[in-house]
Amino acid sequence: MSGELAMLPGKSAPVGATFDGNGVNFAVFSEHATRMTLCLFSDDGARETARIDLPERDGDVWHGYIPGLLPGQVYGYRAHGPYRPDRGHRFNPHKLLIDPYAKQLTGHPVWSDALLGYDPASKRDDLSFDTRDSAPFMPKCVVVDPSFAWGDDAPPDIPVAESVIYEAHVKGLTMRHPAASPPGTFLAMASQPVLDHLVDLGVTAVELLPSQAFLDDRFLVEKGLVNYWGYQTIGFFAPEPRYLHKASIAEFQVMVRRFHSAGIEVLMDVVYNHTCEGNELGPTLCFRGLDNRAYYRLADDPRHYVNDTGTGNTLNLDHPMVLRMVMDSLRYWVEVMHVDGFRFDLCSTLGRTPSGFDRGASFFDAVRQDPVLAKVKLIAEPWDIGPGGYQLGAFPPPFLEWNDRFRDGVRRFWRKDPGRAPDLADRLTGSALQFDHSGRPATSSVNFVSAHDGFTLADVVSWSRKHNEANGEDNRDGHDEDFSDNMGAEGGTDDIAILSARARRRRNMMATLLLAQGTPMILAGDEIGHSQRGNNNAYCQDNEISWIDWENADKAFLAFTRRMIAFRKARPILRQKLFLHSRERAIDGKEDLFWWRADGNPMTTADWEDPDLRLVCVELRTASGTPYYDAQESAIFAVFNAGDAVDVVVPGSPPGGAWSLHVDTSRPDMEPRAVHGHTVSVSADSVVVMVLEKAR
């Protein structure tokens, strides 16, 4: 079946399929295989044209070289070895396998029992052995030349302290956009209308939901649903095929170049904690068939998998070649695809060792010493479902971390939950209890009030409970507590008073986000009022539930969000990296952080312990000791009032200084004005912000 193709020994590095101008070198890792077969296919992937054993093995890397082979060649592997699930081995040469280093895939699996390494009809379950050929149902790998004419492309290299992150789904952002083309693709993501929106909004980075190749889970397909979010990766080097318009990885590179030309960074949400192959009853698509015992963490009974991720399996980053694959993947996306950083899904799993979570685990050590990754942003999702999986604040620098306590604290304060004022104060000052250690800056906290997982901001103020019926799980899935409030009517309403109250609370939460120390992140669509109809787990909703509704955009809230981002960018005090702890300032002997009561007196312990406290008044100065007079400001006074209307005493101003009112969420269109007198009227349920500027 090999025809006239010549197979030469080739090289063990680099791993993957590498075109050198004259042919293609194939290299793949398997520690326990006894033989490795390369399978070549016709251009459409329908016909297997050759099977050739890789002739050489250096250590645990099998390799070979075929002269004359060109980019575009379609291929896969078959691995031979023991089928002993009781010992952790699941080799089955009847199953075509994806190259873990494949740079492009032809598509997605077509679900069939032939994709299983065992016979599901057998009473022996996964201990049985299936001989059906899976190739007709498998996506194939494609040899590519990833070189690209980058021209003068350069990373925007935005300092973390100046960053405003925008979490977006490629299809969700563009599918209903009236001018983004072709909709649902990487090219649409960076089309001029979308770029114009993001530039005008003022965000500095787009964080893409998983864009590495992933599959649609079988149970979802059988229910007529899909894996919309993409947290089931099958190819750590390949862009997701459904986001490619003409099946060219250059489309991803074009997208990145366009974002960079607009001064916006591209961050990727990546899933290195598990793969899409599930538990022992899952399909054999790639890693399981290549070397199950090496790629996965197995239980004491090696027939089963460690499942700290809740997906059925956990990648074994303690194995040097698996860790190398992850590191090679990260470097590939930075060096070849020019991305600017990563958000690591379930990052606690990446730090797990046999003795538990370790901030000095091999993955963190490898990342922190890598000169390529030292140049990009690294963000951890600091939890998984395993024992001790919640690790907020425990990651080593330079990792930033998603701060769900910020989300919950802000929502609960504005919902008027008792005793939430002290928590809001903590969140406004960078969640110091979690992050002020090990030399970490306040920007380590990635603050958000909504994200892809959970309610949108519009739904937080419109629904008191989840409505996930469309997911087909009888509303059992998703969080049971979103700290939301329908404010008088569940879901849609024509009540003007309710709609007005909802709009104000959204402004309050967005303002709180953009006034807090840390790194703010906004969920795409929140700025225009997108709703998911009360669905707080839209992971399988590839439809108008998830696609952002541009036609009915809330233009008033968009204008307010744009204004708040601009206000933050113009105020260095809000973007300080140093934590504010009411310390004595080195230059003028004054404190840099003050907590005030409405009557102008300092807050006391008894005040903070009052469960009915609904008012937080904070004065911020610069932790560096140098006032930003060149920015025409030396302090900011912000009032967060979840209670009744109140007159608040304004802090005294030094000679030559004067307070001006810049933000009032009860009057979102208000122009900045001077503050006259010693008090300012703060409306019920509102945020007010004043700036101490040079008197004019």
Side-chain angles (χ1 to χ4, degrees):
M1 208 170 171
S2 61
E4 299 180 357
L5 291 173
M7 174 68 82
L8 304 179
K11 301 177 180 179
S12 61
V15 181
T18 306
F19 175 67
D20 65 2
N22 297 306
V24 178
N25 189 81
F26 295 91
V28 60
F29 158 75
S30 179
E31 180 179 350
H32 298 102
T34 58
R35 175 180 158 204
M36 189 66 63
T37 302
L38 172 69
C39 304
L40 303 181
F41 290 84
S42 56
D43 290 346
D44 61 4
R47 182 170 54 90
E48 191 169 356
T49 59
R51 288 189 188 182
I52 314 171
D53 287 347
L54 295 182
E56 295 287 332
R57 176 177 179 172
D58 286 352
D60 298 324
V61 178
W62 303 75
H63 55 90
Y65 179 88
I66 301 181
L69 217 58
L70 299 173
Q73 176 64 55
V74 180
Y75 73 101
Y77 288 111
R78 298 179 189 271
H80 305 256
Y83 188 83
R84 290 293 305 271
D86 60 317
R87 297 183 180 178
H89 298 305
R90 295 179 179 271
F91 293 98
N92 187 335
H94 302 285
K95 309 304 169 182
L96 186 74
L97 305 174
I98 292 171
D99 178 1
Y101 279 68
K103 306 301 189 300
Q104 183 175 346
L105 299 181
T106 59
H108 305 91
V110 176
W111 284 109
S112 164
D113 285 347
L115 296 176
L116 304 175
Y118 63 94
D119 180 1
S122 170
K123 294 182 179 180
R124 300 179 67 237
D125 292 325
D126 63 301
L127 295 178
S128 62
F129 185 79
D130 187 81
T131 59
R132 286 170 289 188
D133 184 11
S134 68
F137 309 97
M138 280 290 292
K140 313 303 189 296
C141 310
V142 182
V143 176
V144 298
D145 179 1
S147 58
F148 181 74
W150 286 103
D152 59 357
D153 177 75
D157 198 21
I158 307 293
V160 173
E162 298 177 14
S163 295
V164 178
I165 300 171
Y166 186 83
E167 189 198 27
H169 188 284
V170 171
K171 190 171 186 180
L173 185 68
T174 64
M175 198 63 190
R176 300 179 69 186
H177 195 289
S181 181
T185 66
F186 293 122
L187 294 179
M189 187 74 190
S191 60
Q192 197 59 49
V194 174
L195 287 178
D196 289 343
H197 172 79
L198 297 178
V199 170
D200 290 344
L201 183 60
V203 299
T204 66
V206 171
E207 181 177 300
L208 303 179
L209 264 70
S211 297
Q212 296 172 337
F214 59 87
L215 59 69
D216 296 319
D217 308 75
R218 187 172 189 173
F219 81 94
L220 289 176
V221 172
E222 291 175 348
K223 291 194 296 184
L225 300 170
V226 300
N227 175 17
Y228 174 69
W229 285 349
Y231 290 94
Q232 288 285 43
T233 308
I234 190 59
F236 293 120
F237 293 77
E240 167 51 37
R242 73 191 77 189
Y243 301 151
L244 298 174
H245 178 51
K246 293 185 177 180
S248 170
I249 69 169
E251 295 173 31
F252 186 96
Q253 295 165 311
V254 167
M255 176 192 70
V256 173
R257 185 174 62 186
R258 288 179 179 173
F259 270 114
H260 285 180
S261 67
I264 297 175
E265 296 178 322
V266 177
L267 314 179
M268 293 181 65
D269 193 335
V270 289
V271 188
Y272 296 113
N273 56 80
H274 74 279
T275 79
C276 64
E277 291 185 304
N279 63 15
E280 62 272 9
L281 299 180
T284 296
L285 308 174
C286 178
F287 312 96
R288 173 174 286 132
L290 283 170
D291 197 332
N292 184 68
R293 194 175 181 93
Y295 277 104
Y296 292 116
R297 291 176 57 202
L298 303 182
D300 292 338
D301 175 359
R303 177 184 174 186
H304 304 290
Y305 297 79
V306 171
N307 186 23
D308 290 330
T309 63
T311 63
N313 66 58
T314 305
L315 269 181
N316 180 22
L317 295 190
D318 285 337
H319 194 291
M321 290 302 291
V322 180
L323 178 60
R324 174 180 168 182
M325 176 189 70
V326 171
M327 297 301 296
D328 285 348
S329 170
L330 292 170
R331 285 188 290 264
Y332 174 80
W333 289 100
V334 173
E335 295 184 305
V336 178
M337 308 302 266
H338 283 207
V339 304
D340 304 285
F342 304 94
R343 180 265 191 186
F344 296 92
D345 177 65
L346 300 184
C347 198
S348 292
T349 299
L350 306 182
R352 284 191 175 274
T353 68
S355 59
F357 178 82
D358 181 2
R359 70 199 305 263
S362 56
F363 170 75
F364 297 131
D365 286 348
V367 168
R368 295 174 72 193
Q369 62 78 43
D370 191 280
V372 173
L373 301 182
K375 305 173 184 177
V376 302
K377 294 178 173 64
L378 306 171
I379 304 172
E381 182 184 44
W383 50 77
D384 63 19
I385 70 163
Y390 190 76
Q391 294 291 333
L392 181 68
F395 289 76
F399 279 86
L400 314 182
E401 300 178 38
W402 270 30
N403 187 352
D404 61 324
R405 291 187 180 176
F406 183 95
R407 174 198 64 198
D408 296 347
V410 170
R411 291 184 183 186
R412 296 186 69 183
F413 176 82
W414 289 112
R415 195 175 68 168
K416 306 178 188 296
D417 288 8
R420 304 311 303 175
D423 183 72
L424 182 72
D426 289 341
R427 304 308 154 206
L428 291 172
T429 50
S431 299
L433 182 63
Q434 284 77 35
F435 295 103
D436 189 12
H437 61 82
S438 308
R440 303 185 75 183
T443 51
S444 299
S445 174
V446 175
N447 301 329
F448 60 99
V449 291
S450 55
H452 70 274
D453 187 3
F455 278 153
T456 67
L457 182 57
D459 287 353
V460 169
V461 301
S462 303
W463 308 85
S464 291
R465 60 188 185 276
K466 64 184 181 182
H467 293 266
N468 298 352
E469 290 80 7
N471 296 356
E473 299 181 43
D474 297 322
N475 207 34
R476 294 188 303 269
D477 62 304
H479 301 299
D480 291 321
E481 179 55 89
D482 280 283
F483 304 113
S484 61
D485 180 7
N486 66 28
M487 305 189 70
E490 188 74 354
T493 181
D494 294 326
D495 189 304
I496 294 177
I498 292 176
L499 293 174
S500 177
R502 287 176 177 177
R504 185 181 294 195
R505 186 167 293 182
R506 280 195 291 142
R507 291 195 295 270
N508 290 341
M509 288 194 282
M510 185 62 75
T512 306
L513 171 67
L514 291 165
L515 292 169
Q517 273 195 289
T519 304
M521 183 184 79
I522 297 171
L523 174 64
D526 275 356
E527 75 277 19
I528 60 172
H530 176 67
S531 169
Q532 292 180 169
R533 307 173 193 173
N535 193 317
N536 76 350
N537 189 34
Y539 77 103
C540 56
Q541 298 298 325
D542 187 6
N543 50 48
E544 293 187 357
I545 290 176
S546 297
W547 302 341
I548 293 174
D549 184 2
W550 294 93
E551 182 179 353
N552 296 302
D554 184 338
K555 295 182 180 178
F557 191 67
L558 172 61
F560 176 80
T561 304
R562 183 187 297 126
R563 179 181 172 190
M564 286 305 307
I565 293 175
F567 182 81
R568 179 184 181 86
K569 287 186 173 183
R571 307 296 167 188
I573 287 178
L574 298 175
R575 298 183 276 103
Q576 296 182 79
K577 295 173 62 178
L578 296 179
F579 286 95
L580 305 178
H581 292 301
S582 298
R583 293 186 297 261
E584 294 298 316
R585 298 174 69 191
I587 292 181
D588 57 15
K590 296 180 180 179
E591 296 176 349
D592 53 36
L593 176 65
F594 301 83
W595 301 105
W596 298 111
R597 299 192 325 196
D599 62 8
N601 289 309
M603 289 288 289
T604 67
T605 300
D607 293 326
W608 286 117
E609 291 176 349
D610 181 0
D612 295 324
L613 180 64
R614 300 283 186 270
L615 184 74
V616 174
C617 303
V618 60
E619 181 183 355
L620 306 171
R621 296 183 181 176
T622 59
S624 66
T626 303
Y628 284 89
Y629 286 120
D630 58 343
Q632 297 297 302
E633 65 178 351
S634 57
I636 285 178
F637 181 54
V639 180
F640 303 84
N641 181 26
D644 297 331
V646 61
D647 287 339
V648 175
V649 173
V650 179
S653 59
W659 290 103
S660 60
L661 180 63
H662 281 254
V663 177
D664 184 344
T665 59
S666 70
R667 296 176 292 168
D669 298 325
M670 181 204 73
E671 293 296 325
R673 62 178 178 81
V675 176
H676 300 290
H678 300 292
T679 64
V680 63
S681 296
V682 179
S683 301
D685 300 311
S686 65
V687 176
V688 166
V689 185
M690 287 162 277
V691 178
L692 183 60
E693 301 172 326
K694 281 186 176 181
R696 299 179 182 178

